[in-house]
């Protein structure tokens, strides 16, 4: 999970601070030394770390010790604010041209996920009511045009191409003309990448930029390459001029150094981050929400965004009424689990839950396949059994276990979890968090089948 190593170390450092009634200058400097090491181990740029720690130390010593009622908590708040500032202060949105079509030029090295991200971005813009067109300007990489066509078909986006014998700058220009003639208000130009930056690549990209004059040039970088990604971003910006950055594969990068470094080094905002394979997993980047995830404070707003995309509104309302009335059936329970599954990786979902940052999610026993097993068990029941699970005796359970390919113990465990979920829901009639903030929600998550 993104930032898991850094988050775990920072939370350990802050746990020590919370236990202190007062903080000396020595306490602050020792904590900052540990934060510095944690950031360097997360592959954050050395100069970025140096400036971050110097600023933080100055603020902590000059303000916290003398004024804070709870010094430890104040230091944590200062770290949060500095992290937000480091990553860009506020969300940076795509801008649109006053004259249609708006052209976005997508650039990056091979292997960063540029073509896939281009398709995902087009798919999201289409859901917002836009009419995007993909333009295939990578004429060198084998099957690059075919890949873009497959991506376009996946998200129902048209693709303009002229084969691999025409100059990419001409293809880009003709693509924009095609969009204008066919009512496409967004054009995403998928350019060629290389294994490394060279003069030939930059000359070609400069010619494409000159031919279509894009509203924004968006660089796609791979989070897992760490400092190399930051160096690539700096070079692209110097040679081409960037307007924004998309960081991919953040869900696979436990360090996160690229995200914490790239804005400070280039001055260019991160606009999207890739957190998985689905279209919805290309997430708009919110510096404040990401800081909350890193520090174990959760990210409720992003969780709500994911839920709104995954849940059918009418089904959700009906399910909520049943939950509040304690009238859930196993069919309802299965529907709930399937909707959770649509929201993405279970570890990422748990990482967004308030209060869950205090547990080590990396080491938690989270079974990503558990929802598949739940589905198999419930679908092996009759309609009557799903509605009235109390009738399930030994013989019925053996039949269900055999039909689902699971064990009787797993069938019993599911029924117990369902019963505990029913009881837990009754505690939520007074509010989502059931009293102390995050406590009730955390208890409920513990009853779900994927977290044992």
């Amino acid at each position: 999970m993104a930032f898991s190593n850094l988050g775990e170390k920072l939370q350990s450092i802050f746990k020590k601070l919370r236990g202190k009634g007062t903080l000396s200058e020595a306490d602050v400097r020792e904590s900052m030394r540990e934060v510095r090491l944690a950031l360097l181990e997360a592959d954050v740029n050395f100069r970025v770390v140096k400036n971050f720690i110097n600023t933080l130390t100055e603020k902590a010593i000059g303000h916290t010790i003398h004024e804070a009622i709870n010094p430890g908590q104040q230091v944590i708040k200062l770290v949060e604010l500095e992290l937000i500032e480091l990553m860009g202060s506020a969300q940076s949105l795509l801008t649109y041209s006053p004259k249609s079509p708006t052209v976005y030029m997508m650039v990056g090295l091979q292997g960063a996920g540029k073509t896939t991200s281009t398709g995902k971005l087009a798919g999201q813009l289409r859901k917002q009511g836009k009419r995007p067109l993909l333009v295939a300007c990578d004429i060198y990489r084998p099957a690059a045009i075919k890949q873009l066509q497959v991506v376009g078909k996946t998200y129902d986006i048209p693709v303009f191409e002229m084969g691999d014998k025409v100059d990419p700058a001409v293809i880009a220009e003709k693509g924009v003309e095609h969009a204008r003639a066919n009512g496409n208000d967004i054009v995403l130009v998928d350019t060629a990448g290389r294994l490394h930056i060279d003069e030939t690549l930059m000359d070609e990209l400069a010619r494409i930029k000159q031919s279509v004059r894009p509203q924004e040039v968006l660089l796609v970088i791979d989070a897992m390459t760490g400092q190399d990604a930051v160096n690539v971003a700096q070079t692209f910006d110097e040679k081409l001029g960037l307007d924004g950055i998309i960081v991919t594969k953040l869900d696979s990068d436990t360090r996160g150094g690229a995200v914490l470094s790239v804005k400070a080094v280039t001055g260019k905002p991160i606009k999207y981050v890739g957190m998985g394979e689905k279209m919805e997993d290309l997430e708009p980047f919110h510096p404040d929400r990401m800081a909350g995830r890193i520090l174990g404070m959760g990210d409720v707003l992003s969780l709500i965004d994911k839920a709104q995309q995954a849940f059918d509104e009418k089904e959700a309302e009906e399910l909520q009424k049943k939950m509040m009335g304690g009238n859930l059936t196993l069919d309802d329970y299965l529907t709930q689990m399937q909707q959770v599954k649509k929201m993405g990786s279970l570890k990422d979902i748990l990482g967004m839950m308030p209060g869950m940052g205090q547990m080590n999610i990396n080491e938690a026993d989270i079974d990503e396949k558990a929802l598949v097993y739940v589905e198999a068990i419930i679908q092996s029941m009759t309609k009557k059994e799903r509605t009235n699970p109390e009738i399930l005796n030994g013989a019925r359970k053996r039949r269900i276990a055999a039909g689902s390919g699971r064990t009787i113990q797993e069938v019993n465990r599911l029924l117990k979890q369902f019963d505990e979920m029913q009881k837990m829901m009754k505690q939520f009639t007074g509010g989502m968090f059931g009293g102390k903030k995050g406590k009730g929600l955390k208890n409920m998550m513990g009853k779900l089948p994927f977290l044992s």
Side-chain angles (χ1 to χ4, degrees):
M1 190 178 70
F3 294 108
S4 56
N5 290 346
L6 175 61
E8 184 182 338
K9 288 175 182 176
L10 290 180
Q11 289 164 44
S12 177
I13 295 167
F14 297 149
K15 188 175 181 180
K16 298 176 191 174
L17 292 178
R18 288 192 186 98
K20 293 178 177 288
T22 58
L23 293 180
S24 65
E25 182 174 330
D27 290 330
V28 172
R29 293 194 182 280
E30 174 60 23
S31 297
M32 291 304 106
R33 187 187 72 81
E34 293 181 21
V35 171
R36 176 179 175 273
L37 289 174
L39 291 170
L40 290 173
E41 288 176 11
D43 204 21
V44 181
N45 178 275
F46 174 76
R47 290 188 179 85
V48 172
V49 173
K50 183 179 179 180
N51 292 336
F52 181 86
I53 295 300
N54 287 344
T55 301
L56 200 53
T57 302
E58 183 179 341
K59 289 185 177 180
I61 292 174
H63 171 77
T64 306
I65 294 176
H66 302 297
E67 298 179 17
I69 297 173
N70 184 333
Q73 197 65 40
Q74 285 295 313
V75 171
I76 297 168
K77 185 63 179 177
L78 285 173
V79 172
E80 180 190 13
L81 293 174
E82 287 303 310
L83 279 175
I84 294 171
E85 182 69 25
L86 185 66
M87 292 186 286
S89 298
Q91 181 188 13
S92 181
L93 300 171
L94 290 177
T95 60
Y96 296 93
S97 170
K99 184 178 179 181
S100 184
T102 296
V103 180
Y104 300 116
M105 181 176 167
M106 311 294 289
V107 302
L109 297 184
Q110 286 182 9
K114 173 172 51 63
T115 299
T116 304
S117 296
T118 300
K120 289 178 180 178
L121 180 56
Q124 292 196 14
L125 291 171
R126 185 178 182 278
K127 287 181 70 175
Q128 296 170 18
K130 304 294 184 181
R131 296 192 62 200
L133 172 72
L134 300 173
V135 177
C137 289
D138 184 353
I139 63 172
Y140 308 107
R141 182 167 58 87
I145 296 173
K146 181 63 177 177
Q147 182 191 0
L148 190 66
Q149 289 173 329
V150 170
V151 170
K153 186 176 181 181
T154 300
Y155 302 121
D156 196 23
I157 310 294
V159 176
F160 178 86
E161 56 92 11
M162 297 177 67
D164 58 4
K165 306 300 182 186
V166 181
D167 184 277
V170 174
I171 297 174
E173 188 173 1
K174 294 295 184 183
V176 173
E177 291 176 5
H178 178 87
R180 193 174 290 118
N182 289 273
N184 298 104
D185 52 5
I186 299 287
V187 176
L188 294 104
V189 180
D190 183 36
T191 65
R194 298 283 193 280
L195 294 176
H196 58 277
I197 296 172
D198 58 28
E199 192 172 332
T200 304
L201 170 65
M202 287 303 172
D203 285 347
E204 179 179 294
L205 294 178
R207 287 191 296 106
I208 293 174
K209 182 178 180 181
Q210 180 65 30
S211 71
V212 297
R213 300 190 180 279
Q215 176 72 12
E216 294 192 12
V217 178
L218 301 174
L219 173 68
V220 180
I221 59 173
D222 182 345
M224 296 185 69
T225 58
Q227 281 304 295
D228 284 342
V230 178
N231 295 334
V232 166
Q234 191 170 23
T235 304
F236 265 91
D237 186 44
E238 290 170 355
K239 301 286 187 180
L240 196 62
L242 299 176
D243 297 288
I245 296 169
I246 296 174
V247 183
T248 64
K249 306 177 189 177
L250 191 59
D251 57 315
S252 302
D253 178 37
T254 59
R255 297 175 301 172
V259 170
L260 289 171
S261 303
V262 70
K263 172 64 169 63
V265 171
T266 66
K268 305 302 178 181
I270 300 172
K271 298 212 169 187
Y272 290 88
V273 289
M275 299 296 291
E277 297 180 0
K278 299 176 183 176
M279 179 179 70
E280 295 80 8
D281 293 332
L282 184 67
E283 301 179 4
F285 183 69
H286 299 266
D288 54 342
R289 299 186 190 183
M290 190 60 71
R293 291 194 207 183
I294 295 171
L295 298 176
M297 299 173 181
D299 182 2
V300 173
L301 292 177
S302 290
L303 187 61
I304 291 171
D305 287 345
K306 280 182 171 289
Q308 287 176 336
Q309 291 174 4
F311 282 51
D312 178 271
E313 188 174 347
K314 186 176 180 181
E315 281 185 1
E317 288 179 1
E318 292 175 356
L319 190 59
Q320 184 179 10
K321 290 178 182 177
K322 289 184 177 182
M323 287 164 63
M324 293 308 181
N327 298 318
L328 277 183
T329 67
L330 280 164
D331 277 327
D332 298 324
Y333 187 61
L334 178 59
T335 299
Q336 186 183 24
M337 294 301 101
Q338 289 172 333
Q339 289 175 329
V340 168
K341 188 178 178 181
K342 290 179 186 177
M343 293 170 63
S345 162
L346 297 175
K347 283 190 176 182
D348 285 341
I349 293 171
L350 288 173
M352 296 180 194
M353 304 295 286
M356 297 301 285
Q358 301 307 312
M359 64 179 285
N360 188 345
I361 293 174
N362 271 344
E363 296 178 5
D365 187 10
I366 300 173
D367 187 355
E368 295 278 351
K369 294 182 180 178
L371 299 186
V372 177
Y373 303 153
V374 168
E375 188 171 7
I377 292 171
I378 295 177
Q379 289 183 343
S380 296
M381 299 176 185
T382 65
K383 181 67 176 176
K384 185 177 180 181
E385 289 168 344
R386 293 196 295 268
T387 306
N388 304 291
E390 62 273 7
I391 69 173
L392 291 172
N393 55 26
R396 289 175 182 266
K397 290 176 183 178
R398 282 193 293 273
R399 189 203 77 242
I400 292 165
S404 62
R406 311 313 301 169
T407 66
I408 292 177
Q409 288 81 4
E410 287 175 290
V411 175
N412 286 330
R413 187 185 308 131
L414 171 61
L415 293 172
K416 182 180 178 183
Q417 288 167 339
F418 175 68
D419 183 58
E420 290 178 344
M421 175 73 84
Q422 289 273 58
K423 294 175 182 175
M424 188 66 66
M425 286 304 168
K426 293 177 182 179
Q427 300 176 21
F428 277 74
T429 54
M432 183 178 178
F433 292 102
K436 286 189 176 180
K437 185 178 181 182
K439 184 178 179 182
L441 192 55
K442 184 176 178 180
N443 288 340
M444 186 188 77
M445 293 300 291
K447 309 303 178 188
L448 295 179
F450 49 77
L451 184 61
S452 57

